[in-house]
Amino acid sequence: MNGHAGPRLAARAALARAWLSLDRFALAPASAMPLAALRIGLASVLLVQAAMVGPALLELYGRSGILQGPLNDLLARTDLVRIGSLIDRLAPLGVGEASIVTGTGALYTLALVALLLGWRARAAAALAWLTHRMLMMTADSTNYGADNYANIFLFYLVWMPSSAALSLDRRLARVPIGPPATTRLSLRVVQLHLCISYLASGLWKASGEQWWNGEAIWRSVMLPAYRQVDFSWLADHPWIAVIAGWLVVLVEAGYAFMIWPRRSRRIWVAATLALHLGIAVFMGLVVFGALMAVLTFAAFGVRADRAAPERCPRAHPALESPWAPPNAG
């Protein structure tokens, strides 16, 4: 009996320590500032995108636009959340296509404004997500990475307490005074999602030759669809494209590992922001570059210090390990 007691106690102690570490990682009290930064930044970028798309709203989403109704229907993945389906159902009531498309766009914009201000933030996020989804599914062939990421993180904001800071809901006392218990867990969801995304992207790039020999960089800045600046001089200095490709692979593949330690976190946040600034400036993908920069900045660039003791007397002690990320979220 005594011979087995020691290993059992050691195993229980190890499990208790593991559970405590997990509890601290996922549930320790945290400031809602990172989630507020995510809400404000995401809404701001999408409002800029809406302003850019607004003049061509009917051409992009109308059944008589660039892609005619039958072709749009053929390319669609679903009929459940498309403006075309809404047009068909409301036509017997005398509601015209232009009114439905314009109304959907206006509703989406108003939802983003409410989300930006933090007024009824969760309801605003739900409405913004639903209308954004409708617009995506209506013009499915025009979607790219920025649209997919935006829709995912709008959905996250439906469930996250992003209005606990920098919001009208907070100012109007519609939310609790202290940070909600789900704040840290919500932040971890965002952080882990980004880590998985960047790791997958980095490994995919590393598996081919184009990012090692500079071809991917050359094509990115020279293809007519993306060319913003004349980089033809790279032909005389191919080593620059090669090094740039290596750096992109390093930043993305190393993101999931190097953004957690305190000593390398700022470097990796800055490198990631620089990467997306380059994408915005040199490839013209302004919305994508700004959106991805906002996600990383909110998740890892905004401090998530635990709540003050008087507001949260049961707060967990901060993790002291150099690998523990509570101060950055």
Side-chain angles (χ1 to χ4, degrees):
M1 294 287 293
N2 292 337
H4 295 290
R8 284 195 195 128
L9 290 175
R12 288 179 182 175
L15 287 174
R17 287 194 297 271
W19 176 256
L20 180 59
S21 297
L22 179 62
D23 180 68
R24 287 173 173 173
F25 178 79
L27 300 175
S31 165
M33 290 297 289
L35 299 181
L38 174 63
R39 187 194 81 240
I40 294 170
L42 180 58
S44 299
V45 172
L46 293 181
L47 280 170
V48 171
Q49 184 188 40
M52 295 166 61
V53 171
L57 195 66
L58 290 175
E59 286 77 7
L60 288 173
Y61 303 106
R63 306 201 71 174
S64 301
I66 298 173
L67 288 180
Q68 299 294 303
L71 180 57
N72 231 338
D73 295 339
L74 181 65
L75 296 174
R77 287 179 289 175
T78 177
D79 286 330
L80 296 179
V81 287
R82 294 175 58 248
I83 294 179
S85 301
L86 195 60
I87 292 172
D88 293 338
R89 285 171 172 77
L90 294 181
L93 301 178
V95 182
E97 173 187 332
S99 299
I100 294 174
V101 174
T102 304
T104 302
L107 199 60
Y108 171 61
T109 303
L110 290 174
L112 289 177
V113 171
L115 186 63
L116 173 66
L117 298 176
W119 184 77
R120 306 287 185 185
R122 293 196 180 194
L127 182 58
W129 171 79
L130 179 60
T131 49
H132 185 271
R133 190 72 180 173
M134 289 182 65
L135 294 169
M136 281 183 63
M137 293 298 98
T138 300
D140 186 54
S141 59
T142 67
N143 296 332
Y144 70 117
D147 300 303
N148 294 323
Y149 274 101
N151 199 253
I152 290 170
F153 283 90
L154 282 174
F155 182 77
Y156 284 163
L157 287 175
V158 175
W159 313 102
M160 295 178 175
S162 64
S163 62
L166 302 179
S167 69
L168 288 179
D169 286 345
R170 180 67 180 269
R171 189 171 184 82
L172 297 174
R174 289 179 179 151
V175 295
I177 295 178
T182 57
T183 301
R184 179 75 66 182
L185 180 60
S186 299
L187 183 57
R188 294 301 185 220
V189 169
V190 173
Q191 292 172 330
L192 292 174
H193 186 120
L194 290 175
C195 286
I196 293 172
S197 295
Y198 278 104
L199 180 60
S201 178
L203 293 178
W204 177 79
K205 288 180 172 66
S207 66
E209 297 182 2
Q210 294 181 344
W211 289 94
W212 297 109
N213 61 19
E215 181 183 350
I217 296 296
W218 171 262
R219 295 176 63 184
S220 296
V221 297
M222 292 302 294
L223 285 176
Y226 302 121
R227 183 172 179 173
Q228 305 294 312
V229 180
D230 182 12
F231 275 97
S232 58
W233 54 267
L234 279 178
D236 298 323
H237 307 280
W239 60 271
I240 296 178
V242 172
I243 292 178
W246 293 356
L247 289 176
V248 171
V249 173
L250 175 63
V251 170
E252 293 193 355
Y255 187 101
F257 308 102
M258 303 305 294
I259 208 161
W260 293 102
R262 290 190 180 95
R263 292 183 179 180
S264 58
R265 182 182 302 137
R266 290 184 178 179
I267 296 174
W268 237 256
V269 169
T272 305
L273 296 184
L275 170 63
H276 291 299
L277 176 63
I279 291 174
V281 173
F282 299 123
M283 296 181 65
L285 299 177
V286 177
V287 173
F288 177 78
L291 178 65
M292 298 306 296
V294 162
L295 296 182
T296 287
F297 179 76
F300 291 101
V302 179
R303 295 178 65 85
D305 294 322
R306 63 194 182 109
E310 65 272 17
R311 290 190 177 181
C312 192
R314 298 180 63 186
H316 293 275
L319 297 177
E320 297 300 332
S321 166
W323 282 86
N327 287 340

